[in-house]
Amino acid sequence: MSDHLKRENLLRQLLEDNFVLAKQSRRIRDIITDPSLKKYFQNLSSRHNQFAIELREEINFYGGQVPYIPPPAFERNWKELSAGSIKKLLKKSYKLHKKAMRDYRTALSQINDGSCREIFIRHKARFENMLFELKSLKTLLSFRKENWRRQEQET
């Protein structure tokens, strides 16, 4: 496979992944009730949309045309998210972000073009930060739940 084709395929895969992550973040935002978590997931969705725009511009620059994004990129067959547990939603989001992080690492190992590498490095650094934030949120929610239980037992 030529370098040009490999680069374009990786860019398209990352573009699709970012759209999926943005959609998943919006779904979680619509399910949860905590206003601060709603704001967090809205910002997360916005970041993924921005990443997708940057990747689309790279595809346009190297391929000469705006990439066609098929509707399945937006509508994956994920099981419907439910409001059952915020912890489960965070875990699902963490897994998807971790997979995307692996995809960025793969892209970094295979593509050596300057502008693409710079974008991948920036996005990968942001994904590392997102993973840390999601893990911290999960820990914080567990801690908050423990404190509520302790307070209920004291009263």
Side-chain angles (χ1 to χ4, degrees):
M1 187 183 299
S2 72
D3 286 342
H4 176 73
L5 190 57
K6 185 187 323 182
R7 176 182 51 230
E8 189 169 341
N9 286 339
L10 282 170
L11 285 169
R12 286 182 187 278
Q13 179 61 44
L14 293 174
L15 175 72
E16 184 178 329
D17 287 348
N18 275 296
F19 277 128
V20 168
L21 286 167
K23 174 115 179 159
Q24 189 257 356
S25 295
R26 283 191 304 274
R27 282 183 177 173
I28 291 175
R29 179 206 60 205
D30 293 341
I31 291 172
I32 58 179
T33 57
D34 187 344
S36 58
L37 286 176
K38 278 185 177 281
K39 177 84 170 153
Y40 174 76
F41 280 102
Q42 176 61 41
N43 289 338
L44 201 61
S45 175
S46 296
R47 280 187 220 127
H48 287 298
N49 284 328
Q50 183 61 38
F51 290 169
I53 289 170
E54 290 176 16
L55 292 169
R56 186 192 65 151
E57 289 172 355
E58 279 298 300
I59 293 170
N60 189 18
F61 176 75
Y62 285 108
Q65 57 185 349
V66 177
Y68 169 73
I69 303 161
F74 297 106
E75 294 296 330
R76 287 253 175 109
N77 291 329
W78 299 111
K79 291 182 181 177
E80 199 57 39
L81 298 173
S82 64
S85 171
I86 294 174
K87 209 171 182 181
K88 285 182 183 177
L89 295 174
L90 287 174
K91 187 176 181 179
K92 180 174 178 73
S93 183
Y94 184 82
K95 283 182 180 180
L96 289 173
H97 280 82
K98 197 165 188 166
K99 181 206 171 290
M101 174 74 138
R102 282 193 303 267
D103 292 344
Y104 270 97
R105 284 185 183 148
T106 301
L108 268 169
S109 70
Q110 294 179 2
I111 295 180
N112 296 318
D113 293 330
S115 63
C116 281
R117 265 187 95 66
E118 188 268 329
I119 287 173
F120 293 161
I121 289 169
R122 251 187 319 107
H123 289 192
K124 185 178 146 296
R126 191 63 193 132
F127 269 98
E128 288 171 351
N129 192 14
M130 287 178 206
L131 287 172
F132 177 76
E133 289 171 351
L134 288 168
K135 198 168 194 172
S136 298
L137 277 173
K138 187 177 170 188
T139 305
L140 181 65
L141 289 174
S142 297
F143 180 72
R144 189 169 78 176
K145 192 174 184 178
E146 280 181 29
N147 279 346
W148 283 345
R149 284 182 186 163
R150 213 175 303 142
Q151 287 175 354
E152 286 176 359
Q153 291 174 354
E154 290 174 0
T155 58

